[in-house]
């Protein structure tokens, strides 16, 4: 009888672990699909040149907010790769500040999808591609957001660490120790920094 109970218990423990693994995998896939949907929508809007028309059905909350807060006068846009990198990071920091107020996991997943999109844009810039440490910090931030966004609401301390990570990307004289220290801080606050199978 005791052997039957042990077999039953082991089967249930394995089943629970497998179910949790499958759930996490499904959530990561959902975030990936959201990211792709956001990118597709942004591409369609850029191609159509209709950013100022009312397309609330297709616009993400970020795009709607940009449209509402758009400056009245045309600003000069610098073509410098460093300037475009800084601009992406500054916008990411603004989004993280808004994210702090999110108290719903669905809203958090939307913010996460937008943030991962920002990181992908950063990783395509020459500044990030040419600097191994900045590239690794970007990858670390992307992993943290993708792996943890569907688990539970990020705390203010965790979001503050994400802000610190984005600030490091545009900081002067960053070193490998900065990356390692950020990784330790993120893990200390209970955030997964890489998939369990790695």
């Amino acid at each position: 009888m005791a052997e039957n109970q042990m077999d039953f218990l082991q089967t249930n423990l394995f089943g629970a672990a497998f179910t949790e693994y499958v759930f996490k995998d499904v959530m990561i896939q959902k975030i990936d699909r959201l990211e792709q949907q956001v990118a597709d929508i942004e591409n369609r809007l850029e191609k159509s040149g209709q950013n100022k028309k009312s397309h609330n059905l297709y616009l993400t909350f970020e795009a709607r907010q940009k449209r509402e807060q758009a400056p009245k006068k045309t600003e000069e846009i610098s073509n410098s790769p460093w300037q475009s990198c800084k601009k992406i990071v500054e916008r990411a920091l603004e989004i993280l500040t808004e994210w702090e107020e999110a108290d719903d996991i669905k809203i958090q997943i939307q913010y996460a999808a937008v943030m991962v999109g920002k990181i992908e844009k950063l990783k395509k810039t020459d500044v990030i591609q040419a600097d191994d440490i900045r590239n690794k910090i970007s990858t670390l931030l992307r992993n943290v957001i993708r792996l943890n966004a569907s688990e539970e609401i990020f705390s203010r301390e965790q979001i503050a660490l994400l802000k610190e990570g984005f600030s490091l990307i545009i900081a002067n004289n960053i070193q490998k120790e900065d990356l390692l220290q950020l990784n330790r801080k993120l893990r200390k606050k209970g955030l997964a920094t890489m998939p369990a199978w790695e």
Side-chain angles (χ1 to χ4, degrees), residues 93 96-97 99-100 141 154-168 182 185-186 189 191:
L93 292 171
L96 284 169
T97 300
W99 184 346
E100 286 177 325
L141 292 172
F154 276 50
S155 69
R156 289 185 183 274
E157 293 84 11
Q158 290 170 330
I159 291 176
L161 286 174
L162 293 177
K163 287 180 177 180
E164 181 180 326
F166 275 97
S167 296
L168 275 175
L182 177 64
K185 287 179 181 179
L186 290 164
K189 287 296 179 185
L191 294 169

Side-chain angles (χ1 to χ4, degrees), residues 41-57:
I41 290 168
E42 287 176 349
N43 286 337
R44 276 190 273 156
L45 288 173
E46 282 181 23
K47 287 179 183 176
S48 70
Q50 298 175 350
N51 287 344
K52 294 187 179 179
K53 290 188 179 179
S54 177
H55 291 289
N56 288 339
L57 182 62

Side-chain angles (χ1 to χ4, degrees), residues 1-197:
M1 184 71 176
E3 283 184 32
N4 288 340
Q5 288 177 339
M6 280 300 282
D7 289 343
F8 177 76
L9 183 60
Q10 288 176 339
T11 302
N12 282 342
L13 287 174
F14 174 77
F18 182 74
T19 302
E20 181 179 344
Y21 170 78
V22 169
F23 176 75
K24 285 183 179 180
D25 190 47
V26 167
M27 293 309 289
I28 288 173
Q29 290 175 7
K30 283 184 179 183
I31 290 173
D32 287 342
R33 282 193 298 269
L34 277 173
E35 293 168 7
Q36 187 58 47
Q37 288 173 351
V38 168
D40 290 345
I41 290 168
E42 287 176 349
N43 286 337
R44 276 190 273 156
L45 288 173
E46 282 181 23
K47 287 179 183 176
S48 70
Q50 298 175 350
N51 287 344
K52 294 187 179 179
K53 290 188 179 179
S54 177
H55 291 289
N56 288 339
L57 182 62
Y58 298 108
L59 291 178
T60 64
F61 63 95
E62 181 194 10
R64 264 184 261 139
Q65 187 177 27
K66 275 184 183 178
R67 187 187 67 215
E68 291 165 5
Q69 295 178 350
K72 302 297 179 193
K73 59 183 179 180
T74 307
E75 295 179 11
E76 288 184 26
I77 299 172
S78 171
N79 291 329
S80 159
W82 187 247
Q83 286 295 74
S84 68
C85 185
K86 280 185 172 182
K87 192 172 182 178
I88 295 169
V89 168
E90 287 167 2
R91 181 61 188 137
L93 292 171
E94 290 172 15
I95 294 169
L96 284 169
T97 300
E98 295 168 15
W99 184 346
E100 286 177 325
E101 304 304 318
D103 59 356
D104 182 342
I105 197 75
K106 291 178 184 175
I107 294 172
Q108 175 166 289
I109 290 172
Q110 288 178 340
Y111 276 113
V114 171
M115 292 304 296
V116 169
K118 294 287 181 201
I119 293 169
E120 291 303 324
K121 281 185 182 179
L122 272 173
K123 289 178 74 63
K124 290 177 184 174
T125 63
D126 294 338
V127 173
I128 302 301
Q129 289 182 355
D131 189 315
D132 188 49
I133 295 172
R134 292 179 205 282
N135 196 2
K136 286 181 178 177
I137 290 173
S138 300
T139 302
L140 173 64
L141 292 172
R142 183 186 61 199
N143 285 347
V144 168
I145 292 170
R146 290 179 68 193
L147 294 172
N148 299 282
S150 62
E151 297 297 316
E152 59 184 56
I153 300 293
F154 276 50
S155 69
R156 289 185 183 274
E157 293 84 11
Q158 290 170 330
I159 291 176
L161 286 174
L162 293 177
K163 287 180 177 180
E164 181 180 326
F166 275 97
S167 296
L168 275 175
I169 291 172
I170 56 172
N172 294 326
N173 303 322
I174 60 168
Q175 299 182 8
K176 188 173 181 179
E177 182 54 38
D178 297 318
L179 166 66
L180 298 174
Q181 187 176 14
L182 177 64
N183 189 22
R184 284 191 294 267
K185 287 179 181 179
L186 290 164
R187 284 187 285 120
K188 191 173 181 179
K189 287 296 179 185
L191 294 169
T193 58
M194 65 178 63
W197 59 85

